[in-house]
Amino acid sequence: MAARTYGQYCGVVTALELVGERWALLIVRDLLVGPRRYSDLKAGLPRIPTNILATRLKELQAAGVVRRVPLAHGLVYDLTEYGRGLEDVVLALGRWGFRAMGEPGADDVVTPDSMTMAFRTAFRPAAAAGWVGTFVVHVGDVVLTLTVDDGDLTVTRGPTDGAALTFAAGPAIREVIAGRVSPDDAVRTGVVHVLDGDPAALTRFAEIFHLEAEPAPVVPV
Amino acid sequence: MAARTYGQYCGVVTALELVGERWALLIVRDLLVGPRRYSDLKAGLPRIPTNILATRLKELQAAGVVRRVPLAHGLVYDLTEYGRGLEDVVLALGRWGFRAMGEPGADDVVTPDSMTMAFRTAFRPAAAAGWVGTFVVHVGDVVLTLTVDDGDLTVTRGPTDGAALTFAAGPAIREVIAGRVSPDDAVRTGVVHVLDGDPAALTRFAEIFHLEAEPAPVVPV
DNA sequence: CGGGATCCCTTAGGATACTG
DNA sequence: CAGTATCCTAAGGGATCCCG
């Protein structure tokens, strides 16, 4: 056991010893969206072996990051207050990883919780200041409602009536969020399919949800 | 090989596939201080197996995070511009991990590079605004010079003349940085040993270098 | 059906030795 | 100095099974 420690007295090392194991931060990512049952977590992380999920949940509890909350029937896992402090870490990782995202792999999936955190990552409160409205986004079979209220963002699953704009998009939506494809071009080239509302609102969307594309990785030949 | 992927199209997953393996972020942490030779990295990570260090360095190069730079004699590893973008991640991890740090383990070590990043993490530009001066800190056998210049911090190895304050401290220095022990108490109880300069300058130090102690983890019984 | 535990096998990672 | 080579352990992956 002591063999698998990093053996340094350092905050980064302490953090990695708590949440540095494989899958741990992805469990945290999903729990940042809300409390989840075991089966929810399993569904949100289709490739996690069930024994690993069980092991991680125990480790995260022992670390004071996650706690079990008994429910009327069943139970949920929730982040502790300390665990919620990982939001900065997860957002920073998402922001950095975004710049290395290429095309999705053949069997890559998109989950509601990962998309929710992605939109939280891309959200720019300053750009949303003074604006109130709702977007409904379809990506794959994930449908999310993004409720923007003057610098605050709430993401919920499923559609909502009365959205300023409802649209469907594929993975190429990242080009819009990166600012590499203009909203107009996105609509014209079919990257974005407007289902309802005013297509012009996509400009507002791109202002509010934006991630830096640079510096992107340059891989050696 | 595809078996060890997370299988999600998501920024966090992309990031973890690039720097989520064991030891990877600690290599990055040390490289954030400056370019390092293979043997420097090995010295800074005493418990890393040499084959793992070699493997990680190759992976980090392939990911566009690290590059080899040939030198007059020998070579160094340096972060790419993209790799430097991980500073946010490492600082966020350090900030979060700090709150879970207890007493150091029996064979925990402290390295110059990890300490350097720790002081960078704790540095508060706003608190340093308008102030120019130098601290020399001894922790274990690590000696660092912290040069504060009106919101900018430079950390260098070894001592410097003309410091506003030179002091030695043990791991309990974290209590001062957390604000749980006042500078005065720290001097009185021997947590901090003033070697040179005006002990009153420790107050300034504690203002400039500060990390939140809460919320700290509460571990279940 | 939610919430795991168990089994087996593969491979990453740890320890140590050795080389261009 | 900058890594390979080797051997071994333990963590992770995959499937199945179990229990309230």
Side-chain angles (χ1 to χ4, degrees), chain B residues 1-216:
Chain B
M1 275 297 160
R4 219 178 137 80
T5 68
Y6 293 105
Q8 298 197 359
Y9 190 66
C10 156
V12 180
V13 164
T14 303
L16 290 177
E17 281 175 347
L18 298 181
V19 295
E21 296 298 308
R22 237 176 126 63
W23 294 105
L25 274 177
L26 295 181
I27 295 171
V28 169
R29 179 200 65 185
D30 284 9
L31 291 180
L32 279 167
V33 178
R36 292 288 180 265
R37 290 184 300 181
Y38 190 91
S39 48
D40 297 330
L41 292 169
K42 204 152 129 52
L45 301 166
R47 308 192 52 143
I48 193 174
T50 137
N51 55 342
I52 298 296
L53 177 55
T55 303
R56 289 293 170 273
L57 285 172
K58 276 177 211 150
E59 292 164 352
L60 290 172
Q61 285 169 70
V65 174
V66 161
R67 89 198 123 130
R68 293 168 132 238
V69 179
L71 237 52
H73 29 261
L75 60 98
V76 292
Y77 293 90
D78 195 5
L79 292 176
T80 62
E81 202 190 341
Y82 182 57
R84 220 151 315 190
L86 281 166
E87 176 149 0
D88 285 350
V89 172
V90 171
L91 294 185
L93 271 173
R95 203 171 294 122
W96 184 80
F98 175 79
R99 309 206 283 267
M101 289 176 81
E103 291 301 304
D107 21 281
D108 277 1
V109 299
V110 168
T111 68
D113 287 349
S114 75
M115 284 272 303
T116 297
M117 290 309 294
F119 281 117
R120 278 206 213 165
T121 306
F123 182 65
R124 296 197 298 177
W131 196 79
V132 176
T134 301
F135 301 102
V136 173
V137 187
H138 296 237
V139 175
D141 48 0
V142 175
V143 181
L144 294 179
T145 295
L146 314 176
T147 306
V148 177
D149 182 1
D150 186 23
D152 280 336
L153 170 67
T154 310
V155 184
T156 52
R157 284 203 201 184
T160 309
D161 287 340
L165 178 66
T166 299
F167 65 93
I173 182 69
R174 73 177 187 280
E175 302 296 332
V176 178
I177 289 177
R180 278 191 299 243
V181 168
S182 73
D184 288 356
D185 286 352
V187 172
R188 253 193 307 108
T189 60
V191 163
V192 166
H193 254 281
V194 173
L195 302 175
D196 190 36
D198 180 3
L202 193 62
T203 300
R204 175 65 63 167
F205 172 88
E207 284 165 10
I208 295 179
F209 296 94
H210 178 79
L211 284 170
E212 287 304 317
E214 300 295 335

Side-chain angles (χ1 to χ4, degrees), chain A residues 56-186:
Chain A
R56 287 295 168 272
L57 285 172
K58 276 177 211 149
E59 291 164 352
L60 290 172
Q61 285 169 70
V65 174
V66 161
R67 89 197 125 130
R68 292 168 133 237
V69 179
L71 236 52
H73 27 261
L75 61 98
V76 293
Y77 294 90
D78 195 5
L79 291 176
T80 62
E81 202 189 342
Y82 182 57
R84 218 150 297 147
L86 280 166
E87 176 149 0
D88 285 350
V89 172
V90 172
L91 294 184
L93 270 173
R95 203 171 294 123
W96 184 80
F98 174 79
R99 309 207 284 267
M101 289 176 81
E103 291 301 304
D107 23 281
D108 277 2
V109 299
V110 169
T111 68
D113 288 348
S114 76
M115 284 273 303
T116 297
M117 290 308 295
F119 280 116
R120 277 207 215 164
T121 306
F123 182 64
R124 296 196 298 177
W131 196 79
V132 176
T134 301
F135 300 102
V136 174
V137 187
H138 297 238
V139 175
D141 48 359
V142 175
V143 181
L144 295 178
T145 295
L146 314 176
T147 306
V148 177
D149 182 0
D150 186 24
D152 280 335
L153 170 68
T154 309
V155 184
T156 52
R157 284 203 201 184
T160 309
D161 286 341
L165 178 67
T166 299
F167 65 93
I173 182 70
R174 74 177 187 279
E175 302 297 332
V176 177
I177 289 177
R180 277 191 299 243
V181 169
S182 75
D184 288 356
D185 286 353

